[in-house]
Amino acid sequence: MKVIILAGGLGTRLSEYTEFTPKPMVMIGGKPILWHIMKTYAKFELKDFYIALGYKAKIIKEFFLNYRTLNSDFTVNLLSGSIDIHQQDAVDWKVNLIDTGLNSMTGGRVKKMQNLIGNETFLLTYGDAVADINISELIKFHRNHGKMVTVTAVRPEARFGELAIEKNVVTSFKEKPQTTKGWINGGYFVVEPEFFNLITGDDTILEKAPLEKAAQMGELMSYQHEGFWQCMDTKRDKELLEGLWEADNAPWK
């Protein structure tokens, strides 16, 4: 199953770091948060990634292009120019790096993946939140209900978008009002390819018309994750995640 990760936004609320690097490349424990998210999927043998790039795309491309040398010891023969890699962090991921435009909205970035995903169920998440979610259980839940989209609902301490849920059916999807029942959009979607038809173009915001329409159609279901989830929207969030990692107390590890 293919995994789309949205990694093209400006990350303005984390401007202390994102002036010089894209938000998904902000480091937690010496690794980009994007890497941590991919590790979560890889634990469940989901290793075919499609990274939707935009802002400072070159930095993300360079990270993966040079991944083996950046994450390994190696020997360089200065006479012949040969390089022998002594692999330390071997991963068998396939990483597709797709430039989806500097100014595209979240829905537009997803739409630009349509030809690459094809007519198959896919996974989708944001490049700025980690969780200890069981992806296998998420996929099982999605397959059992047979609807178009599953969104992972989480309970953060802050105010984010609100999901109105009745018997696991999402009846309303509202982005960032004051929450009333505590459930918000945590990303980690499972999506049927028909969802592409609800996205009109580059300026479509995923969290607006497409998901609102899916909810109105009765085609948006919630997988309620009671465990750890944390986005990295602010410097304080970054420091929280860094502290958990350094204390060897990172639930998503």
Side-chain angles (χ1 to χ4, degrees), residues 48-66:
D48 190 5
F49 297 102
Y50 291 74
I51 314 300
L53 305 176
Y55 177 66
K56 295 189 181 296
K58 181 180 177 181
I59 293 174
I60 301 178
K61 288 181 177 180
E62 288 177 342
F63 174 78
F64 287 105
L65 188 63
N66 299 304

Side-chain angles (χ1 to χ4, degrees), residues 86-138:
H86 314 305
Q87 194 77 50
Q88 291 184 325
D89 183 24
V91 294
D92 56 347
W93 307 347
K94 180 183 177 183
V95 185
N96 302 269
L97 300 160
I98 312 301
D99 195 334
T100 55
L102 181 61
N103 299 313
S104 298
M105 296 293 101
T106 47
R109 297 188 192 284
V110 174
K111 183 74 170 179
K112 287 186 175 181
M113 296 292 191
Q114 185 170 4
N115 290 338
L116 296 170
I117 298 302
N119 190 32
E120 61 183 80
T121 307
F122 63 95
L123 299 163
L124 166 67
T125 198
Y126 306 104
D128 64 355
V130 289
D132 62 351
I133 185 171
N134 186 317
I135 304 293
S136 293
E137 289 298 315
L138 169 64

